[in-house]
Amino acid sequence: MTVSLDLDRRFRDAAAREGLVDVAYELHDTPLGSLFLAGTERGLCRIVYDAEPERELDFLARTFGLRVLRSSRPVDEARRQLDEYFEHRRTEFDLALDLRLLAEFNRRVLDELVRVPYGEVVTYGELAARAARPRAARAVGTVMNRNPIPIVLPCHRVIGSTGKLVGYGGGLDRKEALLRLEGALL
């Protein structure tokens, strides 16, 4: 028996709407390539460039619960805001985020990171100082490398102390593209 695409979509949306899913995910096409987006009832929990879906599904099941389902409904708002960002119609994201698994230092660094304005950059050392750990630039680099929600948590805005673009999980070409989009690079 074959199920129609419409019926399949309605089933997945109903499961998400009724809270029968621990984490929902969807792939979303952007100018930077396909993004893997995942969200829980608390909010967006993951954005991954060049995702290997099977690996991501295993991670989500181990991390958030076994009920993992592909459904766009829980990440629709994130998709809409990302589209607006790439279309130059949004400079800040207003999304619920699920960061419950992060350590206190990581959360503090990411809290400071979201305060870096659109179109501006900060160094790892400056971000460390803002997070009350002025000697922790390398630790900040590790937090940026493990950022679970790039673009929304704008780790692309963090640059090396010499002003060079360094270290980005999506690749330096994507970091440069994001900074150009925001007007931080000419």
Side-chain angles (χ1 to χ4, degrees):
M1 173 181 185
T2 303
V3 175
S4 74
L5 292 175
D6 182 58
L7 180 60
D8 181 62
R9 181 191 51 77
R10 289 187 352 222
F11 164 78
R12 292 170 185 277
D13 287 349
R17 185 176 53 251
E18 296 298 320
L20 301 174
V21 177
D22 294 321
V23 62
Y25 72 95
E26 187 58 86
L27 296 173
H28 186 58
D29 291 327
T30 73
L32 297 181
S34 183
L35 297 177
F36 181 96
L37 307 176
T40 68
E41 76 285 345
R42 292 182 183 195
L44 186 66
C45 64
R46 195 133 171 91
I47 295 178
V48 181
Y49 290 109
D50 304 322
E52 296 174 28
E54 290 300 317
R55 188 169 148 192
E56 290 304 319
L57 297 179
D58 288 343
F59 171 82
L60 293 173
R62 283 190 322 274
T63 307
F64 295 100
L66 297 175
R67 300 179 305 170
V68 178
L69 184 67
R70 185 171 185 169
S71 174
S72 63
R73 184 178 186 89
V75 294
D76 275 347
E77 183 61 17
R79 291 170 19 153
R80 183 182 67 76
Q81 289 191 30
L82 283 164
D83 287 346
E84 291 172 355
Y85 171 81
F86 285 115
E87 293 165 358
H88 302 276
R89 295 185 298 123
R90 174 172 293 278
T91 59
E92 294 180 8
F93 292 94
D94 183 23
L95 295 167
L97 304 179
D98 186 345
L99 300 173
R100 64 183 138 164
L101 301 175
L102 296 181
E104 181 184 335
F105 174 72
N106 297 37
R107 212 174 286 135
R108 189 172 347 130
V109 169
L110 293 174
D111 284 345
E112 291 302 324
L113 175 66
V114 298
R115 291 184 176 99
V116 178
Y118 179 93
E120 295 185 22
V121 294
V122 65
T123 67
Y124 293 94
E126 290 168 339
L127 193 55
R130 292 179 186 186
R133 296 276 303 276
R135 298 179 58 135
R138 293 181 94 173
V140 166
T142 300
V143 173
M144 295 302 101
N145 180 263
R146 295 181 182 155
N147 178 2
I149 311 174
I151 304 171
V152 173
L153 298 175
C155 52
H156 59 276
R157 295 180 188 153
V158 184
I159 61 173
S161 61
T162 63
K164 292 194 178 215
L165 303 186
V166 293
Y168 188 66
L172 290 181
D173 56 331
R174 286 185 175 127
K175 183 173 191 165
E176 181 178 353
L178 289 165
L179 290 172
R180 285 194 189 288
L181 172 93
E182 294 184 7
L185 294 179
L186 302 175

